[in-house]
Amino acid sequence: MARSVLNLLRNRKSIRIFRPSTISEEVLRLIIEAGVRAPTYLQSYTIIQVKDEEKKEELAKLCNEKIVKNASAILLICADLHRTRILLDMLGHEHVLRSDKHPIESILAVFDAGLVVENMIIAAEALGLGSVILDCPLIECKRFSELFELPKGVTPLILLCIGERGEVPPLRPRLPIDQIFHIDKYGEVSEEKLKEYLEELERRMEIENYVRKYAGMDLKYLDYLRLKTELTNESKKVNDEIQKFLKENLIKT
Ligand SMILES: Cc1cc2nc3c(=O)[nH]c(=O)nc-3n(C[C@H](O)[C@H](O)[C@H](O)COP(=O)(O)O)c2cc1C
């Protein structure tokens, strides 16, 4: 048993090409039940399954169209301080969510959601299904908030798209463990090792044909990474909008 869970964890890859199929409600229920067993703090998250065809059409415009259209289940994961606030109100005390300073609850709500997502990903793997996370809900937080009628205090974070695998991608590169794992004190990064990692990343993504396959662009992977993370007037504008939304709904520091 332990070995099979380790195998799932060690061999999981994001799946971006799904075969048309349906997931039964029972199977989806198993995935959700595995999700809620994650070690969460105040359970400050909400999962919304997107079933409505019109909403899916909207998602196809806001997110990766092919992934959203072919996935058998689409789950929107939100950080949810709205429900937690109501729950704490019931305890009848003056609680932190009534203040405009609650960095702990804000950050841990995102952490809660992340743990739940990972549990669901591994549950899907155990059931023979593939999945991918999409970040469009956070990028388009205002649109998602309107589309799913999210109350104040609820922040859309990611979509988890689940379905039958229509591809067998290779394991994707990771930073070397010795650049991530340290004992007793922080270990400063080795630029030499980071450089080697970037070279390996470029090489392996080229072999996978990653950028052409998934982004339809004729770019080297590192140029694609530059493009995605470049500070531009457009990215500044998007970040300003997201920051405003987060200040109103999540991050109270
Ligand atoms: C918070 C988060 C957001 C992500 N957003 C996207 C996304 O918008 N599109 C996408 O194709 N993959 C997305 N991913 C998946 C990562 O790109 C993927 O996990 C990474 O490339 C490593 O590949 P692997 O999962 O196959 O190991 C996201 C992952 C995380 C954790």
Side-chain angles (χ1 to χ4, degrees):
M1 173 65 187
R3 203 182 312 147
S4 72
V5 173
L6 277 181
N7 273 344
L8 290 182
L9 290 166
R10 293 169 70 107
N11 292 308
R12 183 213 54 81
K13 306 124 187 182
S14 293
I15 296 298
R16 296 182 177 83
I17 299 175
F18 294 110
R19 279 212 311 243
S21 69
T22 50
I23 293 183
S24 70
E25 283 191 15
E26 290 74 30
V27 165
L28 194 67
R29 183 85 192 172
L30 288 175
I31 293 172
I32 304 292
E33 283 174 0
V36 305
R37 294 313 311 167
T40 47
Y41 173 49
L42 291 171
Q43 302 179 69
S44 299
Y45 66 92
T46 279
I47 306 167
I48 299 175
Q49 185 185 5
V50 188
K51 289 176 97 170
D52 178 75
E53 289 304 325
E54 276 180 29
K55 285 198 165 71
K56 282 190 191 170
E57 283 297 323
E58 264 311 296
L59 293 194
K61 286 181 211 152
L62 296 171
C63 306
N64 183 309
E65 186 181 349
K66 263 197 195 153
I67 295 178
V68 165
K69 286 204 163 156
N70 293 328
S72 310
I74 304 172
L75 303 175
L76 169 64
I77 319 299
C78 307
D80 188 349
L81 293 177
H82 169 74
R83 190 188 53 234
T84 303
R85 185 191 164 101
I86 295 174
L87 190 100
L88 293 182
D89 280 349
M90 287 176 175
L91 299 182
H93 65 318
E94 191 58 30
H95 60 76
V96 284
L97 293 187
R98 289 194 182 169
S99 144
D100 61 358
K101 283 197 190 73
H102 49 72
I104 297 173
E105 289 68 24
S106 301
I107 290 169
L108 295 187
V110 179
F111 203 83
D112 279 357
L115 292 171
V116 170
V117 168
E118 176 65 359
N119 260 25
M120 292 195 291
I121 288 172
I122 298 306
E125 292 278 326
L127 291 160
L129 298 166
S131 67
V132 68
I133 294 174
L134 299 181
D135 61 11
C136 41
L138 183 57
I139 313 293
E140 298 280 355
C141 45
K142 256 191 106 194
R143 302 275 300 275
F144 269 78
S145 185
E146 286 156 11
L147 189 61
F148 294 96
E149 300 173 46
L150 305 180
K152 194 167 157 26
V154 178
T155 302
L157 296 175
I158 60 108
L159 287 186
L160 180 60
C161 301
I162 304 173
E164 265 188 36
R165 294 184 189 88
E167 63 170 346
V168 187
L171 279 180
R172 274 75 184 229
R174 292 293 190 265
L175 285 161
I177 299 262
D178 65 5
Q179 295 300 295
I180 284 172
F181 174 68
H182 311 290
I183 293 175
D184 290 337
K185 69 182 179 71
Y186 186 80
E188 193 46 80
V189 63
S190 149
E191 289 198 19
E192 190 57 37
K193 290 206 170 164
L194 282 193
K195 193 164 165 276
E196 279 169 25
Y197 164 73
L198 287 175
E199 284 164 9
E200 174 74 357
L201 184 64
E202 182 85 291
R203 199 179 64 78
R204 301 249 301 265
M205 296 314 231
E206 188 64 34
I207 293 171
E208 191 186 342
N209 201 20
Y210 186 96
V211 183
R212 240 156 278 131
K213 187 172 174 196
Y214 298 119
M217 291 171 160
D218 201 11
L219 277 182
K220 290 256 183 205
Y221 184 78
L222 295 187
D223 286 333
Y224 176 64
L225 198 57
R226 285 185 188 100
L227 188 73
K228 282 185 61 144
T229 54
E230 198 167 13
L231 185 63
T232 61
N233 284 339
E234 179 57 24
S235 76
K236 279 186 207 161
K237 199 170 139 233
V238 170
N239 275 331
D240 280 346
E241 280 169 22
I242 299 175
Q243 189 179 46
K244 184 165 173 283
F245 186 94
L246 293 179
K247 276 188 176 161
E248 283 165 9
N249 292 282
L250 180 66
I251 307 287
K252 305 287 179 185
T253 53

